[in-house]
């Protein structure tokens, strides 16, 4: 019976964190990996949010192709001195002019700069939103499979307690056990079943989020449902991915280009300021055409007609000055917004980094081989309890300690996957203003 006590204290030691941490056991590829990869591919292609971002990028690319094109000239006709108000053919003067603006290079360049910044920002939005979505998919898969595994372990615990209850009832029938022990065992089973129900509910939340990746009724929804059913029916070992080392915050931010959206926002503000300055400069226009003048008696003369004009914005100097100041302020505002986002993002990512490191440390505490040995000892403990060599309290303590160690290891793995996904969802939520109101927020808080 000392072996059972020894196992009990080893398990309790793992729960209390007194074991020496070891490296996380590497998970070998499973047959389900291909299914998971197909789910990620389907989510990338069929998610309505990403489709909207792709459409926005296509629109931005079209606007860039059209930006800065030469404005169409204007064709103008003038008729003066019409006899009797209706005899146009004998009008005293007729003019046909083709007018256009000259020296539009600065404005065209600024317009293309604005369109280019918008196109580049739309590309960044799509890229980071896609990374954030795929991180959520992996996190939700982890929650779905992980909590389902927790529920299965609790069902196994309930089965053992049920077996113990049957033995206790037999002993109670012959006066060898107390009724208080029967009540305690029933209470323990109720607690285990309640925890199992909560684990199943949390697991279903992950599955529901996965189902919501595509629009209901869409062809992709049917394909996704079939893939999820394949993952659900597979004997998937969890954790099903190798825990990755915590990334460096600055390196991750640079690698993902998390601040490029802010950079392009500054570029667009500068291009808009350039466009405003170009608009406030004197604008030169010119026209060329034909003119006919005279009268029916003396005859009509026809000849070329030229026209030139220039705007004089300096005559409204106060307005021009205020407009230029507003343009400079818009650039300063964009730069300040970028700096603010950079600070907020760095702080948020450091918090995520700390959470991920803590999850990895929790995961390292639980030794797989030690847990396997404890499970073998449990079978012997159940037999010893039935033969009266082990008390009910000792059996319940042992089973509860072992179950807690195993389920806590699963929860630590789920938390690790969730914390790792937060690196990407945090970047998508903070670095992209257009995504902040989207469905990229965290769903596991």
């Amino acid at each position: 019976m000392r072996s059972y006590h020894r196992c009990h204290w080893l398990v309790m030691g793992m729960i209390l964190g007194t074991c020496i941490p070891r490296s996380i056991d590497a998970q070998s590829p499973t047959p389900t990996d291909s299914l998971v990869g197909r789910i990620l591919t389907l989510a990338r292609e069929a998610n309505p949010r990403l489709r909207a971002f792709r459409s926005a990028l296509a629109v931005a690319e079209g606007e860039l192709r059209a930006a800065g094109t030469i404005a169409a000239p204007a064709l103008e006709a003038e008729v003066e001195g019409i006899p009797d108000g209706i005899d146009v053919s004998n009008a005293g003067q007729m003019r046909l002019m083709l007018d256009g603006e000259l020296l539009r290079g600065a404005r065209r360049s600024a317009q293309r700069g604005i369109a280019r910044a918008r196109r580049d920002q739309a590309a960044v939005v799509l890229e980071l939103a896609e990374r954030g979505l795929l991180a959520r998919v992996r996190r939700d898969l982890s929650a779905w499979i992980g909590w389902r595994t927790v529920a299965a372990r609790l069902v196994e615990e309930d089965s053992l307690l049920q077996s113990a209850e049957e033995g206790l009832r037999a002993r109670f029938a012959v006066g060898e056990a107390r009724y208080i022990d029967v009540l305690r065992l029933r209470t323990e089973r109720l607690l285990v079943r309640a925890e199992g129900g909560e684990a199943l509910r949390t697991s279903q939340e992950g599955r529901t989020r996965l189902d919501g990746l595509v629009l209901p009724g869409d062809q992709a929804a049917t394909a996704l449902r079939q893939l999820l059913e394949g993952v659900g029916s597979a004997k998937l070992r969890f954790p099903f991915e190798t825990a990755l080392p915590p990334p460096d915050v600055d390196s991750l931010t640079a690698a993902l280009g998390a601040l490029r959206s802010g950079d392009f926002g500054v570029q667009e503000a500068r291009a808009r300021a350039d466009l405003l300055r170009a608009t406030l400069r004197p604008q030169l226009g010119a026209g060329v055409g034909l003119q006919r003048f005279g009268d029916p008696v003396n005859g009509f003369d026809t000849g070329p007609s030229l026209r030139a004009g220039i705007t004089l914005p300096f005559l409204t100097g106060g307005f021009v000055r205020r407009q230029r100041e507003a343009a400079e302020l818009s650039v300063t505002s964009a730069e300040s917004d970028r700096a603010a986002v950079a600070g907020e993002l760095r702080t948020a990512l450091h918090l995520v980094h700390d959470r991920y490191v803590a999850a990895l440390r929790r995961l390292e505490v639980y030794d797989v081989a030690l847990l396997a040995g404890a499970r073998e000892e449990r079978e012997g403990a159940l037999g010893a309890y039935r033969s009266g060599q082990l008390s009910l309290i000792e059996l319940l303590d042992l089973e509860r300690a072992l179950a807690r160690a195993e389920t806590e290891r699963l929860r630590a793995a789920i938390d690790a996957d969730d914390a790792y996904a937060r690196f990407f969802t945090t970047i998508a939520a903070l670095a992209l203003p257009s995504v902040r109101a989207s469905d990229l927020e965290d769903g596991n808080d």
Side-chain angles (χ1 to χ4, degrees):
M1 187 168 63
R2 287 180 299 178
S3 61
Y4 307 137
H5 291 289
R6 182 175 66 252
C7 176
H8 166 72
W9 286 113
L10 286 175
V11 174
M12 291 301 295
M14 287 184 287
I15 295 177
L16 296 174
T18 56
C19 294
I20 298 177
R22 301 185 182 182
S23 60
I24 301 173
D25 59 313
Q27 302 297 323
S28 58
T30 69
T32 316
D33 288 345
S34 59
L35 288 176
V36 173
R38 289 164 62 190
I39 291 174
L40 294 176
T41 300
L42 182 61
R44 180 187 296 110
E45 296 176 354
N47 181 259
R49 180 68 61 179
L50 293 186
R51 284 179 176 176
F53 289 147
R54 291 191 190 96
S55 298
L57 177 58
V59 170
E61 289 174 343
E63 291 177 346
L64 176 58
R65 289 190 295 269
T69 54
I70 298 176
L75 182 63
E76 299 179 358
E78 294 181 4
V79 180
E80 298 179 4
I82 303 174
D84 300 327
I86 57 174
D87 189 4
V88 177
S89 61
N90 289 319
Q93 181 171 305
M94 301 177 67
R95 179 184 295 120
L96 186 66
M97 296 290 296
L98 188 65
D99 289 324
E101 293 185 23
L102 303 178
L103 305 178
R104 296 185 64 252
R107 279 190 291 169
R108 291 176 59 191
S109 177
Q111 289 170 349
R112 290 190 61 82
I114 294 173
R116 186 178 298 107
R118 287 181 173 178
R119 189 277 313 273
D120 293 341
Q121 190 170 50
V124 171
V125 166
L126 175 61
E127 178 184 354
L128 293 185
E130 183 176 276
R131 289 179 180 271
L133 177 70
L134 296 185
R136 289 176 55 231
V137 172
R138 292 183 180 275
R139 179 198 66 189
D140 294 339
L141 279 171
S142 174
W144 173 35
I145 301 300
W147 283 106
R148 190 181 65 177
T149 307
V150 170
R153 176 61 183 89
L154 293 172
V155 168
E156 183 180 351
E157 181 182 0
D158 180 63
S159 177
L160 182 141
L161 293 177
Q162 181 181 8
S163 178
E165 183 181 0
E166 293 173 356
L168 183 62
R169 282 178 173 275
R171 293 166 59 187
F172 176 73
V174 297
E176 296 180 357
R178 300 177 303 170
Y179 186 67
I180 190 65
D181 293 335
V182 177
L183 291 179
R184 177 176 180 180
L185 196 52
R186 287 179 179 176
T187 302
E188 190 71 18
R189 291 189 63 191
L190 288 174
L191 292 175
V192 169
R193 288 185 176 186
E195 292 178 5
E198 183 65 18
L200 285 176
R201 184 194 65 79
T202 308
S203 173
Q204 185 59 38
E205 286 181 355
R207 171 62 190 269
T208 301
R209 285 193 294 267
L210 291 171
D211 287 334
L213 293 175
V214 294
L215 293 175
D218 190 273
Q219 183 178 3
T222 302
L224 177 63
R225 189 175 298 108
Q226 293 174 348
L227 290 177
L228 293 178
E229 290 175 355
V231 173
S233 61
K235 300 298 183 181
L236 183 61
R237 183 178 64 180
F238 185 85
F240 56 88
E241 291 184 0
T242 303
L244 299 175
D248 178 74
V249 169
D250 295 331
S251 299
L252 180 65
T253 304
L256 295 180
L259 298 178
R260 284 185 297 165
S261 179
D263 293 337
F264 296 138
V266 173
Q267 290 179 18
E268 181 179 352
R270 289 173 177 169
R272 287 187 176 279
D274 292 340
L275 177 60
L276 180 60
R277 283 190 288 266
T279 304
L280 295 176
R281 295 184 189 128
Q283 306 296 317
L284 180 64
V288 61
L290 290 174
Q291 178 177 264
R292 193 194 77 168
F293 55 93
D295 57 69
V297 177
N298 298 318
F300 292 98
D301 292 329
T302 302
S305 178
L306 301 177
R307 184 168 61 190
I310 186 172
T311 62
L312 304 175
F314 58 84
L315 295 180
T316 57
F319 171 77
V320 173
R321 184 177 64 256
R322 287 190 293 271
Q323 288 288 89
R324 288 176 176 171
E325 290 174 352
E328 294 298 330
L329 288 175
S330 67
V331 175
T332 303
S333 176
E335 292 173 342
S336 299
D337 183 68
R338 181 194 181 281
V341 170
E344 293 171 0
L345 182 61
R346 193 170 188 276
T347 300
L349 288 179
H350 274 294
L351 292 174
V352 174
H353 180 275
D354 293 342
R355 174 172 177 172
Y356 184 58
V357 170
L360 292 182
R361 288 175 178 171
R362 282 180 56 204
L363 191 56
E364 289 176 348
V365 167
Y366 301 97
D367 185 278
V368 177
L370 188 58
L371 287 175
R375 289 178 63 85
E376 294 177 358
E377 293 285 353
R378 186 193 65 169
E379 298 301 324
L382 182 59
Y385 168 73
R386 289 172 178 170
S387 64
Q389 301 179 24
L390 194 67
S391 69
L392 174 64
I393 294 178
E394 291 172 327
L395 176 66
L396 293 180
D397 287 346
L398 174 61
E399 178 61 21
R400 173 60 68 177
L402 177 59
R404 286 297 167 269
E406 292 180 344
T407 56
E408 284 301 317
R409 180 179 183 274
L410 291 170
R411 289 170 176 167
I414 295 171
D415 288 344
D417 288 341
D418 175 49
Y420 193 80
R422 286 172 185 257
F423 283 111
F424 303 94
T425 57
T426 298
I427 289 175
L430 289 180
L432 304 177
S434 60
V435 188
R436 290 173 187 170
S438 75
D439 61 346
L440 290 180
E441 70 275 2
D442 220 349
N444 286 349
D445 287 332

